[in-house]
Amino acid sequence: MAGAVARVGVGFGLSCSTTKLSHRHSSSSSSSKTTRRCCVKMAVSLDEKKKNYSLQKSEEAFAAAKELMPGGVNSPVRAFKSVGGQPILMDSVKGSRMWDIDGNEYIDYVGSWGPAIIGHADDEVLAALAETMKKGTSFGAPCLLENTLAEMVISAVPSIEMVRFVNSGTEACMGVLRLARAYTGKERIIKFEGCYHGHADPFLVKAGSGVATLGLPDSPGVPKGATYETLTAPFNDISAVENLFETNKGEIAAMILEPVVGNSGFIAPKPEFLNAIRKITKENGALLIFDEVMTGFRLSYGGAQEYFGITPDLTTLGKIIGGGLPVGAYGGRREIMEMVAPAGPMYQAGTLSGNPLAMTAGIHTLKRLQEPGSYTYLDKITGELVQGIVDAGKKAGHAMCGGYIRGMFGFFFTEGPVYNFGDAKKSDTAKFARFYRGMLEEGVYFAPSQFEAGFTSLAHTPEDIQKTIAAAEKVLQQI
């Protein structure tokens, strides 16, 4: 794997030494095309913004929403349960910014939970969508755009020789699990504590994301039979994985994991971990599945598997490949994927799968990511952001650690290092909640949970990063 080197804050302690990892897709310098990035000036000072900050319209709208939808939201973490205060209703987005219905402006580090890697409401993507919409929004039949995006995904992701498009990351993980069982003839799977693979029954065992955020025990409504074949291990714990294979010899169909955990906060793999589980799965006739719904096309153009040089048997994708529209995909080696109907006997279908709008947005998003310097730029700004926040926290006397890879990052209010969900739970979540609300008032929007990763985009400017660090310095001195 030739190319430049990239930095990873191992164990999240950015004051510790860093590990350099080679990757195939990189660029030595940012392209001049980065001048496209939108820079929206903040019209008022931080102090003026905080003084004028109001969420009255959001309060009224959310009160009404609670009578219409469970908890007032359509995805649990949006309810701000773990950070307290008033959930915010957004009105519009552009570039690196979001505006709520009260007119407040935020520098956004959620990015629609990952898809907005080239920035919100990109002009080229919107123009392409407008042209596609003239032809219709859904065909329920094959369209040429599916071929185009499939070719781009297959050429980019090392493990994928054939791909099936679906409508969400959850759907992709459901499909790939059924496929792994069909191909191997076995039923047991291994997942890792704090890794989230959607809300399908077999995965809601020691899950991350909203389950961790809300402190819920797995989930009521999931029958014991649905999770009986699901085995769990702590992330980064090779000996626990070896014990599971020894205890369940010949019974494990697959191991699924987020190669970089994003649903317990940002947790990077130890240097030897991914190599070890690749070896273990091969020796035991089990398939290795990388859930790259979050990391796909974000850590590198070929995802985490290209970044780390580890090729799984199957991969799930989502988020970025739909450019902000609902999408998911699973793919892998040809002989495995040909088990999927109508080529083979394993059934899976979807009315809106491969719809022209999602395909269009994905195609144009991936084209932008191919521009020279994209991932170098993401690495630079994200490193500066995390280093600045962690340094500000330590200077203010807080126990903090953090890490990042390219356009994905996280930080915890604990000394660290954080290697798994158990370590992540040591974070001071009450302090995070105070920090979170303080940053909102300063015009910075992070994920409303200590247990979610953050995301930067090509639209974030150096000025955005410096404004965010300045806000963090102020808030961290106050909490």
Side-chain angles (χ1 to χ4, degrees):
M1 296 202 318
V5 294
R7 295 182 300 169
V8 182
V10 176
F12 303 102
L14 292 187
S15 59
C16 300
S17 61
T18 58
T19 296
K20 294 185 177 181
L21 301 169
S22 298
H23 56 87
R24 285 193 293 242
H25 276 279
S26 64
S27 177
S28 60
S29 62
S30 298
S31 166
S32 61
K33 292 183 180 180
T34 57
T35 55
R36 292 180 185 175
R37 299 185 188 97
C38 175
C39 177
V40 181
K41 299 288 186 180
M42 296 181 75
V44 294
S45 71
L46 292 177
D47 287 335
E48 289 171 335
K49 177 178 283 293
K50 187 169 183 177
K51 182 179 179 180
N52 297 328
Y53 189 70
S54 171
L55 293 174
Q56 181 179 346
K57 291 181 180 179
S58 278
E59 290 173 6
E60 294 169 354
F62 186 68
K66 288 190 288 187
E67 299 299 318
L68 305 170
M69 296 170 281
V73 294
N74 285 305
S75 190
V77 74
R78 301 176 190 176
F80 280 39
K81 289 282 189 180
S82 70
V83 294
Q86 171 61 46
I88 299 171
L89 278 71
M90 293 300 172
D91 179 64
S92 64
V93 293
K94 189 67 176 176
S96 64
R97 303 302 174 103
M98 303 176 75
W99 290 266
D100 65 25
I101 61 175
D102 287 277
N104 299 306
E105 178 182 331
Y106 306 90
I107 303 172
D108 174 36
Y109 293 102
V110 177
S112 191
W113 301 96
I117 192 169
I118 65 173
H120 288 295
D122 178 78
D123 289 341
E124 292 180 11
V125 174
L126 293 181
L129 285 171
E131 287 301 308
T132 300
M133 280 193 289
K134 293 176 182 177
K135 299 179 180 181
T137 58
S138 177
F139 301 152
C143 69
L144 190 58
L145 292 167
E146 294 171 272
N147 288 19
T148 302
L149 185 57
E151 288 171 352
M152 295 178 78
V153 168
I154 290 167
S155 67
V157 184
S159 68
I160 297 182
E161 295 176 353
M162 299 187 82
V163 65
R164 167 61 64 88
F165 291 115
V166 292
N167 298 295
S168 70
T170 290
E171 200 176 329
C173 290
M174 289 169 61
V176 83
L177 175 58
R178 185 180 300 163
L179 174 58
R181 285 170 165 165
Y183 182 77
T184 62
K186 306 171 187 177
E187 294 190 3
R188 294 202 159 177
I189 62 166
I190 296 174
K191 74 174 291 289
F192 290 89
E193 297 169 9
C195 282
Y196 179 71
H197 307 292
H199 60 265
D201 286 356
F203 297 121
L204 286 182
V205 179
K206 298 184 179 179
S209 194
V211 179
T213 298
L214 299 176
L216 298 175
D218 301 329
S219 179
V222 176
K224 292 181 180 179
T227 58
Y228 178 75
E229 305 293 354
T230 303
L231 310 172
T232 63
F235 191 75
N236 274 321
D237 190 334
I238 297 169
S239 62
V241 172
E242 291 173 337
N243 289 338
L244 286 176
F245 273 103
E246 182 64 31
T247 306
N248 300 275
K249 191 173 290 293
E251 298 179 356
I252 296 172
M255 175 190 298
I256 186 170
L257 75 157
E258 298 175 84
V260 173
V261 182
N263 288 288
S264 298
F266 177 95
I267 305 177
K270 292 180 180 179
E272 72 278 9
F273 180 65
L274 297 181
N275 278 307
I277 61 172
R278 175 68 283 188
K279 181 174 182 288
I280 293 167
T281 50
K282 282 184 177 180
E283 290 174 347
N284 288 274
L287 299 180
L288 178 60
I289 305 169
F290 274 12
D291 180 351
E292 295 224 46
V293 169
M294 191 174 290
T295 59
F297 293 93
R298 180 162 283 279
L299 303 193
S300 75
Y301 193 70
Q305 58 196 262
E306 180 187 65
Y307 185 90
F308 292 110
I310 306 293
T311 302
D313 300 295
L314 292 165
T315 299
T316 60
L317 296 168
K319 298 185 185 294
I320 288 172
I321 65 165
L325 276 72
V327 77
Y330 61 96
R333 298 203 311 271
R334 181 175 296 273
E335 67 266 26
I336 303 175
M337 291 301 295
E338 285 182 339
M339 287 286 294
V340 180
M346 190 221 85
Y347 190 76
Q348 178 269 310
T351 299
L352 294 174
S353 297
N355 80 82
L357 294 183
M359 300 296 99
T360 295
I363 289 165
H364 286 272
T365 297
L366 298 194
K367 284 181 178 178
R368 288 287 298 281
L369 290 173
Q370 290 174 348
E371 294 179 359
S374 294
Y375 292 96
T376 302
Y377 183 79
L378 289 172
D379 188 69
K380 180 179 184 296
I381 62 168
T382 312
E384 291 173 356
L385 175 71
V386 175
Q387 187 75 60
I389 292 174
V390 172
D391 285 350
K394 291 181 179 296
K395 185 177 180 180
H398 301 293
M400 285 190 75
C401 60
Y404 73 99
I405 302 177
R406 301 290 174 70
M408 183 176 175
F409 70 91
F411 50 85
F412 295 94
F413 281 90
T414 181
E415 288 289 351
V418 174
Y419 291 125
N420 53 48
F421 186 44
D423 293 335
K425 288 192 292 186
K426 297 174 185 176
S427 185
D428 188 336
T429 54
K431 185 176 286 185
F432 174 83
R434 295 195 298 274
F435 172 77
Y436 181 81
R437 293 194 300 271
M439 291 299 283
L440 280 182
E441 294 188 12
E442 301 295 347
V444 178
Y445 190 80
F446 289 120
S449 168
Q450 174 70 97
F451 303 117
E452 296 283 0
F455 305 101
T456 53
S457 77
L458 296 177
H460 283 86
T461 66
E463 183 181 17
D464 289 332
I465 303 303
Q466 292 309 310
K467 285 182 180 292
T468 302
I469 294 171
E473 289 173 345
K474 179 180 178 180
V475 173
L476 287 164
Q477 289 288 344
Q478 295 173 342
I479 62 173

